[in-house]
Coordinates of all heavy atoms in Angstrom, one line a residue:
G387 N -45.7 16.6 -72.2 CA -45.3 15.9 -71.0 C -43.9 16.2 -70.5 O -43.3 15.5 -69.7
R388 N -43.3 17.3 -71.1 CA -41.9 17.6 -70.7 C -41.7 17.9 -69.2 O -40.8 17.3 -68.6 CB -41.4 18.8 -71.5 CG -40.0 19.3 -71.1 CD -39.7 20.7 -71.6 NE -40.7 21.6 -71.1 CZ -40.7 22.1 -69.9 NH1 -39.8 21.7 -69.0 NH2 -41.7 23.0 -69.5
E389 N -42.6 18.7 -68.7 CA -42.5 19.0 -67.3 C -42.6 17.8 -66.3 O -41.9 17.7 -65.4 CB -43.6 20.1 -66.9 CG -43.4 20.7 -65.5 CD -44.4 21.8 -65.2 OE1 -45.1 22.2 -66.2 OE2 -44.5 22.2 -64.1
T390 N -43.5 16.9 -66.7 CA -43.7 15.7 -65.9 C -42.5 14.8 -66.0 O -42.0 14.2 -65.0 CB -44.9 14.9 -66.4 OG1 -46.1 15.7 -66.2 CG2 -45.1 13.6 -65.6
L391 N -41.9 14.7 -67.2 CA -40.7 13.9 -67.3 C -39.5 14.5 -66.6 O -38.8 13.7 -65.9 CB -40.4 13.8 -68.8 CG -39.1 13.0 -69.2 CD1 -39.1 11.6 -68.6 CD2 -39.0 12.9 -70.7
E392 N -39.4 15.8 -66.6 CA -38.3 16.4 -65.8 C -38.5 16.1 -64.3 O -37.5 15.9 -63.6 CB -38.2 17.9 -66.1 CG -37.1 18.6 -65.3 CD -36.7 19.9 -65.8 OE1 -37.4 20.4 -66.7 OE2 -35.7 20.5 -65.3
F393 N -39.7 16.2 -63.8 CA -40.0 15.9 -62.4 C -39.6 14.5 -62.1 O -39.0 14.2 -61.0 CB -41.5 16.2 -62.1 CG -41.8 15.9 -60.7 CD1 -41.6 16.7 -59.7 CD2 -42.5 14.7 -60.4 CE1 -41.9 16.5 -58.3 CE2 -42.8 14.4 -59.0 CZ -42.5 15.3 -58.0
K394 N -39.9 13.6 -62.9 CA -39.5 12.2 -62.7 C -38.0 12.0 -62.6 O -37.5 11.3 -61.8 CB -40.1 11.3 -63.8 CG -41.6 11.1 -63.8 CD -42.0 10.2 -65.0 CE -43.5 10.1 -65.1 NZ -44.0 9.2 -64.0
M395 N -37.3 12.7 -63.5 CA -35.8 12.6 -63.4 C -35.3 13.2 -62.2 O -34.3 12.7 -61.6 CB -35.2 13.3 -64.7 CG -35.5 12.5 -66.0 SD -34.5 13.1 -67.4 CE -35.3 14.7 -67.7
Q396 N -35.8 14.3 -61.7 CA -35.4 15.0 -60.5 C -35.6 14.1 -59.3 O -34.8 14.1 -58.4 CB -36.1 16.3 -60.3 CG -35.7 17.4 -61.4 CD -34.4 18.0 -61.1 OE1 -33.6 17.5 -60.3 NE2 -34.1 19.1 -61.8
Q397 N -36.7 13.4 -59.3 CA -37.1 12.5 -58.1 C -36.3 11.2 -58.1 O -36.2 10.6 -57.0 CB -38.6 12.2 -58.2 CG -39.5 13.5 -57.9 CD -39.2 14.1 -56.6 OE1 -39.3 13.5 -55.6 NE2 -38.9 15.4 -56.6
A398 N -35.8 10.8 -59.2 CA -35.1 9.5 -59.3 C -33.7 9.6 -58.6 O -33.0 10.6 -58.7 CB -35.0 9.0 -60.7
D399 N -33.3 8.5 -58.0 CA -31.9 8.4 -57.5 C -30.9 8.2 -58.6 O -29.7 8.5 -58.5 CB -31.8 7.3 -56.4 CG -32.7 7.6 -55.2 OD1 -32.4 8.5 -54.5 OD2 -33.7 6.8 -55.0
G400 N -31.4 7.5 -59.6 CA -30.5 7.2 -60.8 C -31.4 7.1 -62.0 O -32.6 6.7 -61.9
V401 N -30.8 7.5 -63.2 CA -31.6 7.5 -64.4 C -30.8 6.6 -65.4 O -29.6 6.8 -65.6 CB -31.8 8.9 -65.0 CG1 -32.7 8.8 -66.2 CG2 -32.5 9.8 -63.9
I402 N -31.5 5.7 -66.1 CA -30.9 4.9 -67.2 C -31.4 5.5 -68.5 O -32.6 5.6 -68.7 CB -31.2 3.5 -67.1 CG1 -30.7 2.9 -65.8 CG2 -30.7 2.7 -68.3 CD1 -31.1 1.4 -65.6
F403 N -30.4 5.9 -69.4 CA -30.8 6.5 -70.7 C -30.4 5.4 -71.7 O -29.2 5.1 -71.8 CB -30.1 7.8 -70.9 CG -30.5 8.9 -70.0 CD1 -29.7 9.1 -68.9 CD2 -31.6 9.7 -70.3 CE1 -30.1 10.2 -68.0 CE2 -32.0 10.7 -69.4 CZ -31.2 10.9 -68.3
A404 N -31.3 5.0 -72.5 CA -31.0 3.9 -73.4 C -31.5 4.2 -74.8 O -32.6 4.8 -75.0 CB -31.7 2.6 -73.0
S405 N -30.7 3.9 -75.8 CA -31.0 4.2 -77.2 C -30.4 3.2 -78.1 O -29.2 2.7 -77.9 CB -30.5 5.6 -77.6 OG -30.7 5.8 -79.0
P406 N -31.1 2.8 -79.2 CA -30.4 2.0 -80.2 C -29.5 2.9 -81.1 O -29.6 4.1 -81.0 CB -31.6 1.5 -81.1 CG -32.6 2.6 -80.9 CD -32.5 3.1 -79.5
V407 N -28.5 2.3 -81.8 CA -27.7 3.0 -82.7 C -28.4 3.1 -84.0 O -28.7 2.1 -84.7 CB -26.3 2.2 -82.9 CG1 -25.5 2.9 -83.9 CG2 -25.6 2.2 -81.5
Y408 N -28.6 4.3 -84.5 CA -29.1 4.6 -85.8 C -28.2 5.5 -86.6 O -27.9 6.6 -86.2 CB -30.5 5.3 -85.7 CG -31.7 4.4 -85.2 CD1 -32.9 5.0 -85.0 CD2 -31.5 3.1 -85.1 CE1 -34.0 4.2 -84.6 CE2 -32.6 2.3 -84.7 CZ -33.8 2.8 -84.4 OH -34.8 2.1 -84.0
T409 N -27.6 4.9 -87.6 CA -26.6 5.7 -88.4 C -25.5 6.4 -87.6 O -25.3 7.6 -87.7 CB -27.3 6.7 -89.4 OG1 -28.0 7.6 -88.6 CG2 -28.2 6.0 -90.4
Y410 N -24.9 5.6 -86.7 CA -23.8 6.1 -85.8 C -24.3 7.2 -85.0 O -23.5 8.2 -84.7 CB -22.6 6.5 -86.7 CG -21.8 5.3 -87.1 CD1 -22.0 4.7 -88.3 CD2 -20.8 4.7 -86.3 CE1 -21.3 3.6 -88.8 CE2 -20.1 3.6 -86.7 CZ -20.4 3.0 -87.9 OH -19.6 1.9 -88.3
N411 N -25.5 7.2 -84.5 CA -26.0 8.2 -83.6 C -27.1 7.6 -82.8 O -27.5 6.5 -82.9 CB -26.5 9.4 -84.4 CG -26.3 10.7 -83.7 OD1 -26.5 10.8 -82.5 ND2 -25.8 11.7 -84.4
V412 N -27.6 8.4 -81.8 CA -28.8 8.0 -81.1 C -30.0 8.0 -82.0 O -30.0 8.6 -83.1 CB -29.0 8.9 -79.8 CG1 -27.9 8.8 -78.9 CG2 -29.2 10.3 -80.2
S413 N -31.1 7.5 -81.5 CA -32.4 7.5 -82.3 C -32.9 8.9 -82.4 O -32.5 9.8 -81.6 CB -33.4 6.6 -81.7 OG -33.8 7.1 -80.4
W414 N -33.8 9.2 -83.3 CA -34.3 10.5 -83.5 C -35.1 10.9 -82.3 O -35.1 12.1 -81.9 CB -35.1 10.7 -84.7 CG -36.5 10.1 -84.7 CD1 -36.9 8.8 -85.1 CD2 -37.7 10.7 -84.2 NE1 -38.2 8.7 -84.9 CE2 -38.7 9.8 -84.3 CE3 -38.0 12.0 -83.7 CZ2 -40.1 10.1 -84.0 CZ3 -39.3 12.3 -83.3 CH2 -40.3 11.3 -83.5
I415 N -35.8 10.0 -81.6 CA -36.6 10.4 -80.4 C -35.7 10.7 -79.2 O -36.1 11.5 -78.4 CB -37.7 9.4 -80.1 CG1 -37.1 8.0 -80.0 CG2 -38.8 9.4 -81.1 CD1 -38.2 6.9 -79.6
M416 N -34.6 10.0 -79.1 CA -33.7 10.3 -78.1 C -33.0 11.7 -78.3 O -32.8 12.5 -77.4 CB -32.6 9.2 -77.9 CG -31.5 9.5 -76.8 SD -32.2 9.8 -75.2 CE -32.5 8.1 -74.6
K417 N -32.7 12.0 -79.6 CA -32.1 13.3 -79.9 C -33.2 14.4 -79.6 O -32.8 15.4 -79.1 CB -31.8 13.3 -81.4 CG -31.1 14.6 -81.9 CD -29.9 15.0 -81.1 CE -29.1 16.1 -81.7 NZ -29.9 17.4 -81.6
N418 N -34.4 14.1 -79.9 CA -35.5 15.1 -79.6 C -35.6 15.3 -78.1 O -35.8 16.4 -77.7 CB -36.8 14.7 -80.2 CG -37.9 15.7 -79.9 OD1 -37.8 16.8 -80.3 ND2 -38.9 15.3 -79.2
F419 N -35.4 14.2 -77.4 CA -35.5 14.3 -75.9 C -34.3 15.3 -75.4 O -34.5 16.1 -74.6 CB -35.3 12.9 -75.3 CG -34.9 12.9 -73.8 CD1 -35.9 13.0 -72.8 CD2 -33.6 12.8 -73.5 CE1 -35.5 13.0 -71.5 CE2 -33.2 12.8 -72.1 CZ -34.2 12.9 -71.1
L420 N -33.1 15.1 -76.0 CA -32.0 15.9 -75.6 C -32.2 17.4 -76.0 O -31.9 18.3 -75.3 CB -30.7 15.4 -76.3 CG -30.3 14.0 -75.8 CD1 -29.1 13.5 -76.7 CD2 -29.8 14.0 -74.4
D421 N -32.8 17.5 -77.2 CA -33.1 18.9 -77.7 C -34.1 19.6 -76.8 O -34.0 20.8 -76.5 CB -33.6 18.9 -79.1 CG -32.5 18.5 -80.1 OD1 -31.3 18.6 -79.7 OD2 -32.8 18.1 -81.2
R422 N -35.2 18.9 -76.4 CA -36.2 19.5 -75.5 C -35.7 19.9 -74.2 O -36.3 20.7 -73.5 CB -37.4 18.5 -75.4 CG -38.2 18.3 -76.7 CD -38.9 19.6 -77.1 NE -39.7 20.2 -76.0 CZ -40.9 19.9 -75.7 NH1 -41.5 18.9 -76.4 NH2 -41.6 20.5 -74.8
F423 N -34.6 19.2 -73.7 CA -34.0 19.6 -72.4 C -32.7 20.3 -72.6 O -31.9 20.4 -71.6 CB -33.8 18.3 -71.6 CG -35.1 17.7 -71.0 CD1 -35.7 16.7 -71.7 CD2 -35.6 18.3 -69.9 CE1 -36.9 16.2 -71.2 CE2 -36.8 17.8 -69.4 CZ -37.5 16.7 -70.0
A424 N -32.5 21.0 -73.7 CA -31.3 21.7 -74.0 C -31.1 22.9 -73.0 O -30.0 23.2 -72.7 CB -31.3 22.3 -75.4
Y425 N -32.2 23.4 -72.5 CA -32.1 24.5 -71.5 C -31.4 24.0 -70.2 O -30.9 24.9 -69.5 CB -33.5 25.1 -71.2 CG -34.4 24.1 -70.6 CD1 -34.5 23.8 -69.2 CD2 -35.3 23.3 -71.4 CE1 -35.4 22.9 -68.7 CE2 -36.2 22.4 -70.9 CZ -36.2 22.2 -69.5 OH -37.1 21.3 -69.0
R426 N -31.3 22.8 -70.0 CA -30.6 22.2 -68.8 C -29.1 22.1 -69.0 O -28.4 21.8 -68.1 CB -31.2 20.9 -68.4 CG -32.5 21.0 -67.7 CD -32.3 21.6 -66.3 NE -33.6 22.0 -65.6 CZ -34.0 23.2 -65.4 NH1 -33.2 24.2 -65.8 NH2 -35.1 23.4 -64.8

């Protein structure tokens, strides 16, 4: 679903990114999200 998610972000006027604190970092799924969009 990466392409669909990118389209949603492009179409939005604003995006809220939310994550819990896990060991002084973002959650692993938020980190994976960032990694998957590293090309941006």
